[in-house]
Amino acid sequence: MSKVKTLGQFIIEKQNDFPFAKGELSRLLRDIGIAAKIVHREVNKAGLADILGEAGETNIQGESVKKLDVFANEQFIAALSVGGECCAIASEENEDIILVDNEQSKNAKYVVAMDPLDGSSNIDVNVSVGTIFSIYRRISLSGPGTLEDFMQRGTEQVAAGYIIYGSSTMLVYTTGKGVNGFTLDPSIGEFCLSHPNMQTPKSGKTYSMNEGNYVHFPDGVKKYIKYCQEEDKPTKRPYSSRYIGSAVADIHRNLITGGIYIYPVTASSPSGKLRLLYECNPLAFIIEQAGGKATDGYRRIMELETKTLHQRTPFYAGSADMVDTACEFMSRFSK
Ligand code: P6P
């Protein structure tokens, strides 16, 4: 056990990196870790729906069974509310912000934006899914949080992370001083440091996108796909196409092995599909901190103006050299 460093130990240790830290952010990250363990437990038995009951029905214990994204949303809201360090929450599952109005929370320093269970349609086929979170300092001075507290650029994020519920459950986060990954050891119920100081390769051999939308892709993306498929040994092409349909899983794989994830504008998603506030900005923060890049095809994701809670954006993210090449194609062929 002596070699194992738990998430809690790591957070406290790193708290000293912030001279004025009084522990609020540390407690906020701890609260997220607690909810992640509860969601992990439910995600990992989702396949037992026949026994446990389908969403919207009651299980053999007579309890109502919730859809897992609803369950995950409730767990993260509960953990953040009880923890007292967050005054408002924005969630993919909720149209409007959720005010945390208990005595301790309403003057808390932070707000949290999250996608509680991204890719949840994959649950039924046992494919990895994830939670994405983004933490900002509030702009409003005191009292209940406000919508304005969330209308900040990604560069203002204090911390960001994701939890991937896959062959193992991992929590990966950054506070702006590098990226660290923790793997849940269910035997002790702790996230343990397994991927210290994660750095993504400058280039890779994987491109991830839903090529089923090819006919509606911008010309720059079409040209980039053909570039990925050309034979060229010096640049290790052709690349491999790997697309899981769960951004956290695709981004996590590409973060480790190198690669690029692209969700461009399409006919059904003319502004892109992914959400700026609680998907693209937090993933971009992590990817940049690991040495990668994240753009909308032209501009740095984290510099885009956040105008609405559920605003969508095209997303080109991953190994720096691959994102640069894809954006060159966009500049040349899709001005
Ligand atoms: P499509 C999941 O719904 C998600 O938001 C991302 O996690 C994933 O990469 C993408 O949408 C999949 O979308 O249109 O390819 O099925």
Side-chain angles (χ1 to χ4, degrees):
M1 272 302 282
S2 59
K3 291 195 177 60
V4 166
K5 184 171 289 182
T6 67
L7 175 63
Q9 290 166 332
F10 184 88
I11 289 170
I12 295 299
E13 186 182 287
K14 292 299 176 186
Q15 182 179 303
N16 302 329
D17 290 351
F18 298 87
F20 304 107
K22 295 199 290 288
E24 295 104 325
L25 181 61
S26 299
R27 284 190 291 274
L28 189 50
L29 290 166
R30 176 211 60 196
D31 298 340
I32 288 170
I34 290 167
K37 287 189 249 185
I38 296 170
V39 173
H40 155 85
R41 185 188 61 202
E42 290 306 304
V43 165
N44 277 274
K45 65 183 182 185
L48 299 173
D50 296 347
I51 301 172
L52 302 174
E54 294 287 347
E57 296 174 353
T58 55
N59 62 20
I60 48 178
Q61 287 85 4
E63 299 151 343
S64 68
V65 177
K66 297 186 175 68
K67 279 172 59 64
L68 269 174
D69 42 11
V70 173
F71 175 83
N73 195 43
E74 290 174 354
Q75 291 307 317
F76 280 98
I77 291 171
L80 291 169
S81 303
V82 164
E85 302 302 348
C86 159
C87 67
I89 302 164
S91 170
E92 198 261 353
E93 294 287 328
N94 297 75
E95 188 58 36
D96 302 313
I97 65 170
I98 300 141
L99 298 181
V100 185
D101 57 6
N102 62 53
E103 260 325 290
Q104 189 190 358
S105 301
K106 70 182 175 194
N107 289 312
K109 277 168 67 173
Y110 297 106
V111 296
V112 177
M114 66 175 181
D115 185 352
L117 204 63
D118 178 68
S120 53
S121 56
N122 289 307
I123 290 251
D124 299 340
V125 292
N126 217 3
V127 166
S128 301
V129 291
T131 297
I132 311 169
F133 64 89
S134 174
I135 302 174
Y136 290 91
R137 268 185 208 81
R138 66 185 299 170
I139 296 173
S140 54
L141 296 177
S142 62
T146 65
L147 180 62
E148 293 324 300
D149 290 326
F150 295 91
M151 298 296 105
Q152 303 187 54
R153 284 183 169 75
T155 47
E156 299 306 307
Q157 291 176 97
V158 173
Y162 60 79
I163 297 104
I164 177 169
Y165 310 96
S167 52
S168 63
T169 292
M170 275 191 72
L171 187 150
V172 176
Y173 84 96
T174 183
T175 57
K177 292 181 181 286
V179 179
N180 291 282
F182 300 79
T183 300
L184 181 64
D185 179 344
S187 70
I188 58 171
E190 291 284 3
F191 280 104
C192 302
L193 182 62
S194 54
H195 296 65
N197 191 27
M198 294 174 78
Q199 289 292 302
T200 194
K202 270 179 74 62
S203 194
K205 293 185 55 184
T206 301
Y207 69 102
S208 307
M209 66 182 87
N210 183 345
E211 293 186 61
N213 296 317
Y214 181 85
V215 294
H216 300 295
F217 280 164
D219 287 343
V221 174
K222 291 180 179 175
K223 298 277 189 188
Y224 181 66
I225 291 172
K226 295 310 165 196
Y227 169 85
C228 293
Q229 295 169 345
E230 283 168 353
E231 295 275 350
D232 180 75
K233 287 207 178 348
T235 55
K236 300 181 181 168
R237 288 180 287 149
Y239 299 151
S240 296
S241 174
R242 292 282 183 277
Y243 188 69
I244 297 174
S246 186
V248 170
D250 281 314
I251 296 280
H252 181 71
R253 180 204 54 241
N254 292 352
L255 193 70
I256 292 172
T257 63
I260 185 169
Y261 170 99
I262 297 177
Y263 207 107
V265 299
T266 65
S268 55
S269 305
S271 303
K273 180 180 182 183
L274 271 61
R275 313 286 188 162
L276 177 62
L277 179 65
Y278 43 76
E279 290 176 327
C280 298
N281 268 328
L283 292 173
F285 193 12
I286 288 172
I287 289 163
E288 287 197 5
Q289 283 289 311
K293 286 192 176 182
T295 77
D296 65 355
Y298 306 97
R299 299 163 294 170
R300 186 182 175 213
I301 284 286
M302 292 211 291
E303 289 176 358
L304 298 179
E305 194 182 349
T306 305
K307 296 176 183 153
T308 60
L309 278 186
H310 303 286
Q311 174 178 337
R312 298 178 191 266
T313 176
F315 195 49
Y316 298 60
S319 296
D321 291 353
M322 298 178 84
V323 173
D324 284 345
T325 304
C327 293
E328 276 165 34
F329 277 98
M330 290 301 288
S331 297
R332 282 171 59 193
F333 300 102
S334 296
K335 281 200 184 306

Short mmCIF file of all heavy atoms in Angstrom, two decimals, residues 114-146:
data_model
loop_
_atom_site.label_atom_id
_atom_site.label_comp_id
_atom_site.label_asym_id
_atom_site.label_seq_id
_atom_site.Cartn_x
_atom_site.Cartn_y
_atom_site.Cartn_z
N MET A 114 -20.97 20.19 -16.30
CA MET A 114 -20.67 18.76 -16.48
C MET A 114 -21.58 18.09 -17.51
O MET A 114 -22.70 18.53 -17.77
CB MET A 114 -20.82 18.02 -15.14
CG MET A 114 -22.25 17.99 -14.65
SD MET A 114 -22.40 16.99 -13.15
CE MET A 114 -24.16 17.13 -12.87
N ASP A 115 -21.01 17.05 -18.12
CA ASP A 115 -21.82 16.09 -18.85
C ASP A 115 -21.77 14.82 -18.00
O ASP A 115 -20.76 14.13 -18.00
CB ASP A 115 -21.23 15.86 -20.26
CG ASP A 115 -22.13 14.95 -21.09
OD1 ASP A 115 -23.10 14.40 -20.52
OD2 ASP A 115 -21.85 14.79 -22.30
N PRO A 116 -22.80 14.52 -17.26
CA PRO A 116 -22.72 13.46 -16.26
C PRO A 116 -22.48 12.07 -16.83
O PRO A 116 -21.82 11.25 -16.19
CB PRO A 116 -24.06 13.53 -15.53
CG PRO A 116 -24.96 14.30 -16.41
CD PRO A 116 -24.12 15.19 -17.26
N LEU A 117 -22.97 11.79 -18.03
CA LEU A 117 -22.70 10.49 -18.62
C LEU A 117 -22.75 10.61 -20.14
O LEU A 117 -23.75 10.39 -20.79
CB LEU A 117 -23.69 9.43 -18.13
CG LEU A 117 -23.16 7.99 -18.21
CD1 LEU A 117 -21.93 7.81 -17.31
CD2 LEU A 117 -24.22 6.99 -17.79
N ASP A 118 -21.57 10.98 -20.69
CA ASP A 118 -21.49 11.18 -22.14
C ASP A 118 -21.40 9.84 -22.85
O ASP A 118 -20.72 8.93 -22.40
CB ASP A 118 -20.24 12.01 -22.47
CG ASP A 118 -20.08 12.22 -23.96
OD1 ASP A 118 -20.92 12.93 -24.55
OD2 ASP A 118 -19.16 11.61 -24.55
N GLY A 119 -22.14 9.71 -23.93
CA GLY A 119 -22.11 8.46 -24.70
C GLY A 119 -23.00 7.39 -24.10
O GLY A 119 -22.82 6.20 -24.34
N SER A 120 -23.96 7.83 -23.27
CA SER A 120 -24.74 6.85 -22.49
C SER A 120 -25.52 5.87 -23.38
O SER A 120 -25.84 4.77 -22.94
CB SER A 120 -25.72 7.57 -21.55
OG SER A 120 -26.50 8.48 -22.28
N SER A 121 -25.74 6.22 -24.65
CA SER A 121 -26.45 5.27 -25.52
C SER A 121 -25.62 4.00 -25.73
O SER A 121 -26.11 2.96 -26.12
CB SER A 121 -26.73 5.93 -26.88
OG SER A 121 -25.49 6.37 -27.43
N ASN A 122 -24.32 4.10 -25.40
CA ASN A 122 -23.45 2.93 -25.58
C ASN A 122 -23.54 1.93 -24.44
O ASN A 122 -22.98 0.84 -24.51
CB ASN A 122 -21.98 3.39 -25.70
CG ASN A 122 -21.73 4.10 -27.02
OD1 ASN A 122 -22.03 3.56 -28.08
ND2 ASN A 122 -21.22 5.31 -26.97
N ILE A 123 -24.21 2.35 -23.36
CA ILE A 123 -24.24 1.49 -22.16
C ILE A 123 -24.79 0.11 -22.51
O ILE A 123 -24.24 -0.93 -22.14
CB ILE A 123 -25.12 2.13 -21.07
CG1 ILE A 123 -24.43 3.37 -20.53
CG2 ILE A 123 -25.45 1.11 -19.99
CD1 ILE A 123 -23.88 3.28 -19.18
N ASP A 124 -25.89 0.11 -23.31
CA ASP A 124 -26.60 -1.15 -23.56
C ASP A 124 -25.76 -2.13 -24.37
O ASP A 124 -26.09 -3.31 -24.45
CB ASP A 124 -27.93 -0.87 -24.28
CG ASP A 124 -28.83 0.02 -23.43
OD1 ASP A 124 -28.58 0.07 -22.21
OD2 ASP A 124 -29.72 0.68 -23.98
N VAL A 125 -24.69 -1.61 -25.01
CA VAL A 125 -23.84 -2.53 -25.79
C VAL A 125 -22.45 -2.63 -25.15
O VAL A 125 -21.48 -3.01 -25.80
CB VAL A 125 -23.74 -2.06 -27.26
CG1 VAL A 125 -25.08 -2.21 -27.95
CG2 VAL A 125 -23.26 -0.62 -27.36
N ASN A 126 -22.38 -2.26 -23.86
CA ASN A 126 -21.18 -2.47 -23.06
C ASN A 126 -19.94 -1.75 -23.58
O ASN A 126 -18.84 -2.27 -23.53
CB ASN A 126 -20.89 -3.99 -22.98
CG ASN A 126 -20.36 -4.35 -21.58
OD1 ASN A 126 -20.28 -3.47 -20.72
ND2 ASN A 126 -20.00 -5.59 -21.40
N VAL A 127 -20.18 -0.57 -24.13
CA VAL A 127 -19.07 0.26 -24.62
C VAL A 127 -18.76 1.33 -23.57
O VAL A 127 -19.66 1.79 -22.86
CB VAL A 127 -19.46 0.91 -25.97
CG1 VAL A 127 -18.51 2.03 -26.36
CG2 VAL A 127 -19.51 -0.15 -27.06
N SER A 128 -17.49 1.70 -23.47
CA SER A 128 -17.07 2.69 -22.47
C SER A 128 -17.86 3.99 -22.59
O SER A 128 -18.15 4.45 -23.70
CB SER A 128 -15.58 3.01 -22.65
OG SER A 128 -14.81 1.84 -22.52
N VAL A 129 -18.18 4.57 -21.45
CA VAL A 129 -18.83 5.89 -21.41
C VAL A 129 -18.05 6.76 -20.43
O VAL A 129 -17.10 6.31 -19.80
CB VAL A 129 -20.30 5.76 -20.95
CG1 VAL A 129 -21.12 5.06 -22.02
CG2 VAL A 129 -20.40 5.02 -19.63
N GLY A 130 -18.44 8.03 -20.33
CA GLY A 130 -17.65 8.91 -19.47
C GLY A 130 -18.43 10.06 -18.88
O GLY A 130 -19.51 10.42 -19.35
N THR A 131 -17.84 10.64 -17.84
CA THR A 131 -18.32 11.89 -17.24
C THR A 131 -17.29 12.96 -17.56
O THR A 131 -16.08 12.67 -17.53
CB THR A 131 -18.41 11.73 -15.70
OG1 THR A 131 -19.38 10.72 -15.39
CG2 THR A 131 -18.79 13.05 -15.04
N ILE A 132 -17.73 14.16 -17.90
CA ILE A 132 -16.81 15.27 -18.18
C ILE A 132 -17.18 16.42 -17.25
O ILE A 132 -18.37 16.72 -17.08
CB ILE A 132 -16.91 15.72 -19.65
CG1 ILE A 132 -16.82 14.53 -20.60
CG2 ILE A 132 -15.80 16.74 -19.97
CD1 ILE A 132 -17.18 14.87 -22.06
N PHE A 133 -16.16 17.05 -16.64
CA PHE A 133 -16.48 18.18 -15.74
C PHE A 133 -15.50 19.33 -15.92
O PHE A 133 -14.35 19.14 -16.33
CB PHE A 133 -16.51 17.73 -14.26
CG PHE A 133 -15.18 17.23 -13.73
CD1 PHE A 133 -14.26 18.12 -13.16
CD2 PHE A 133 -14.84 15.89 -13.80
CE1 PHE A 133 -13.05 17.66 -12.66
CE2 PHE A 133 -13.62 15.42 -13.31
CZ PHE A 133 -12.71 16.31 -12.75
N SER A 134 -16.00 20.52 -15.63
CA SER A 134 -15.23 21.76 -15.80
C SER A 134 -15.53 22.67 -14.61
O SER A 134 -16.69 22.82 -14.23
CB SER A 134 -15.68 22.43 -17.10
OG SER A 134 -15.08 23.69 -17.25
N ILE A 135 -14.49 23.24 -14.01
CA ILE A 135 -14.67 24.05 -12.79
C ILE A 135 -14.19 25.48 -13.05
O ILE A 135 -13.07 25.68 -13.56
CB ILE A 135 -13.89 23.44 -11.62
CG1 ILE A 135 -14.34 21.99 -11.35
CG2 ILE A 135 -14.06 24.30 -10.35
CD1 ILE A 135 -13.53 21.25 -10.30
N TYR A 136 -15.04 26.45 -12.73
CA TYR A 136 -14.69 27.88 -12.86
C TYR A 136 -14.84 28.56 -11.49
O TYR A 136 -15.66 28.12 -10.67
CB TYR A 136 -15.67 28.58 -13.82
CG TYR A 136 -15.52 28.21 -15.27
CD1 TYR A 136 -16.25 27.17 -15.82
CD2 TYR A 136 -14.65 28.91 -16.11
CE1 TYR A 136 -16.13 26.82 -17.16
CE2 TYR A 136 -14.53 28.57 -17.46
CZ TYR A 136 -15.26 27.53 -17.96
OH TYR A 136 -15.14 27.19 -19.30
N ARG A 137 -14.08 29.62 -11.28
CA ARG A 137 -14.38 30.51 -10.15
C ARG A 137 -15.62 31.30 -10.55
O ARG A 137 -15.77 31.70 -11.71
CB ARG A 137 -13.23 31.52 -9.94
CG ARG A 137 -12.19 31.04 -8.96
CD ARG A 137 -11.14 32.11 -8.68
NE ARG A 137 -9.89 31.45 -8.33
CZ ARG A 137 -9.03 30.96 -9.23
NH1 ARG A 137 -9.29 31.08 -10.54
NH2 ARG A 137 -7.93 30.34 -8.87
N ARG A 138 -16.50 31.52 -9.60
CA ARG A 138 -17.70 32.30 -9.91
C ARG A 138 -17.31 33.75 -10.21
O ARG A 138 -16.29 34.24 -9.71
CB ARG A 138 -18.68 32.25 -8.74
CG ARG A 138 -18.18 32.92 -7.49
CD ARG A 138 -19.10 32.77 -6.32
NE ARG A 138 -20.42 33.35 -6.57
CZ ARG A 138 -21.47 33.19 -5.77
NH1 ARG A 138 -21.37 32.42 -4.70
NH2 ARG A 138 -22.62 33.73 -6.04
N ILE A 139 -18.10 34.42 -11.04
CA ILE A 139 -17.88 35.85 -11.33
C ILE A 139 -18.73 36.68 -10.36
O ILE A 139 -18.30 37.71 -9.84
CB ILE A 139 -18.30 36.17 -12.78
CG1 ILE A 139 -17.40 35.42 -13.77
CG2 ILE A 139 -18.25 37.65 -13.03
CD1 ILE A 139 -17.85 35.54 -15.22
N SER A 140 -19.94 36.18 -10.09
CA SER A 140 -20.83 36.91 -9.17
C SER A 140 -20.17 36.94 -7.79
O SER A 140 -19.43 36.02 -7.42
CB SER A 140 -22.20 36.23 -9.11
OG SER A 140 -22.04 34.85 -8.79
N LEU A 141 -20.43 37.99 -7.03
CA LEU A 141 -19.68 38.22 -5.79
C LEU A 141 -20.15 37.31 -4.65
O LEU A 141 -19.36 36.81 -3.87
CB LEU A 141 -19.78 39.70 -5.38
CG LEU A 141 -19.12 40.66 -6.41
CD1 LEU A 141 -19.33 42.11 -5.98
CD2 LEU A 141 -17.64 40.32 -6.59
N SER A 142 -21.46 37.12 -4.52
CA SER A 142 -21.94 36.27 -3.41
C SER A 142 -23.39 35.87 -3.70
O SER A 142 -23.95 36.27 -4.72
CB SER A 142 -21.88 37.05 -2.10
OG SER A 142 -22.76 38.17 -2.20
N GLY A 143 -23.93 35.10 -2.79
CA GLY A 143 -25.33 34.66 -2.96
C GLY A 143 -25.42 33.58 -4.02
O GLY A 143 -24.40 33.01 -4.42
N PRO A 144 -26.63 33.27 -4.47
CA PRO A 144 -26.81 32.18 -5.44
C PRO A 144 -25.98 32.41 -6.71
O PRO A 144 -25.77 33.55 -7.13
CB PRO A 144 -28.31 32.23 -5.76
CG PRO A 144 -28.92 32.96 -4.63
CD PRO A 144 -27.90 33.94 -4.15
N GLY A 145 -25.49 31.31 -7.29
CA GLY A 145 -24.76 31.44 -8.56
C GLY A 145 -25.67 31.98 -9.65
O GLY A 145 -26.89 31.99 -9.51
N THR A 146 -25.03 32.46 -10.72
CA THR A 146 -25.81 33.04 -11.83
C THR A 146 -25.38 32.43 -13.16
O THR A 146 -24.30 31.84 -13.25
CB THR A 146 -25.53 34.56 -11.93
OG1 THR A 146 -24.14 34.73 -12.29
CG2 THR A 146 -25.80 35.24 -10.60
#
